[in-house]
Amino acid sequence: MQLLQLALGDVEKHQYELTVEIFTEMGATWLAQGEHINASECFERARGIIHRLPRDVQLSMARVIAHTNRHRAEMYLAVEDPQRAMERVTEAIGILPAPEVTDYHEMVELQMLRSRCADALSLEEESTNAKMLVYAAAEFSKDAKLQDDVKQYLAPVMPEEV
């Protein structure tokens, strides 16, 4: 956390993407420590910066914004608000860049989170669709490690397909 705070001190005022990334990582660190209030404050700072930016700048930061929304969704799920978590996941998936530059690891993380949100909301079909997309993203990625990780995640649920 101290290194992130030091990095934040060195960021210039106009380096929006880096500032958002730092606040997102600070929030994720607080979340991992179970400090939901501090995590929420960091995510809100990141969100505030994002919403003040012009639309074209937001579009150029699509990956960073999707990553921020994923961590916000994880926080909402941790505080047992799966509906808001699902909204953030849906927003993150919608903003990911075009398929030719998609970050498959981020897509897998988002779809896994979408499945957890759907499970919490008792949306079985939504959960199943998310799990299929997890598998598809891993397969399209051509990343053997990601494919293995996904197979381990899906094995208890769909052993005949994995």
Side-chain angles (χ1 to χ4, degrees), residues 20 42-53 72:
V20 168
C42 290
F43 294 138
E44 285 304 310
R45 299 266 314 261
R47 187 191 65 78
I49 293 167
I50 291 166
H51 285 286
R52 287 191 300 270
L53 296 173
R72 288 177 65 208

Side-chain angles (χ1 to χ4, degrees), residues 101-118:
V101 292
T102 295
D103 179 345
Y104 289 105
H105 290 269
E106 187 70 26
M107 181 57 78
V108 165
E109 291 289 332
L110 284 166
Q111 292 297 344
M112 288 170 63
L113 187 56
R114 179 176 158 227
S115 174
R116 288 179 33 218
C117 292

Side-chain angles (χ1 to χ4, degrees), residues 28-139:
T29 302
W30 283 121
L31 184 60
Q33 295 175 2
E35 297 285 339
H36 301 134
I37 293 171
N38 290 331
S40 178
E41 288 175 7
C42 290
F43 294 138
E44 285 304 310
R45 299 266 314 261
R47 187 191 65 78
I49 293 167
I50 291 166
H51 285 286
R52 287 191 300 270
L53 296 173
R55 183 73 177 139
D56 60 325
V57 175
Q58 289 181 17
L59 291 174
S60 71
M61 294 175 46
R63 283 186 178 162
V64 172
I65 295 170
H67 186 73
T68 299
N69 282 333
R70 176 170 58 86
H71 282 297
R72 288 177 65 208
E74 290 169 343
M75 182 195 63
Y76 287 131
L77 206 52
V79 297
E80 299 180 11
D81 190 348
Q83 184 61 46
R84 286 180 79 182
M86 183 66 91
E87 291 168 7
R88 295 294 76 76
V89 168
T90 302
E91 189 177 325
I93 291 169
I95 197 167
L96 278 179
E100 61 272 5
V101 292
T102 295
D103 179 345
Y104 289 105
H105 290 269
E106 187 70 26
M107 181 57 78
V108 165
E109 291 289 332
L110 284 166
Q111 292 297 344
M112 288 170 63
L113 187 56
R114 179 176 158 227
S115 174
R116 288 179 33 218
C117 292
D119 288 342
L121 294 168
S122 299
L123 302 172
E124 290 180 35
E125 186 175 337
E126 180 98 8
S127 179
T128 300
N129 288 340
K131 289 173 183 166
M132 289 188 322
L133 290 172
V134 165
Y135 183 75
E139 287 300 311

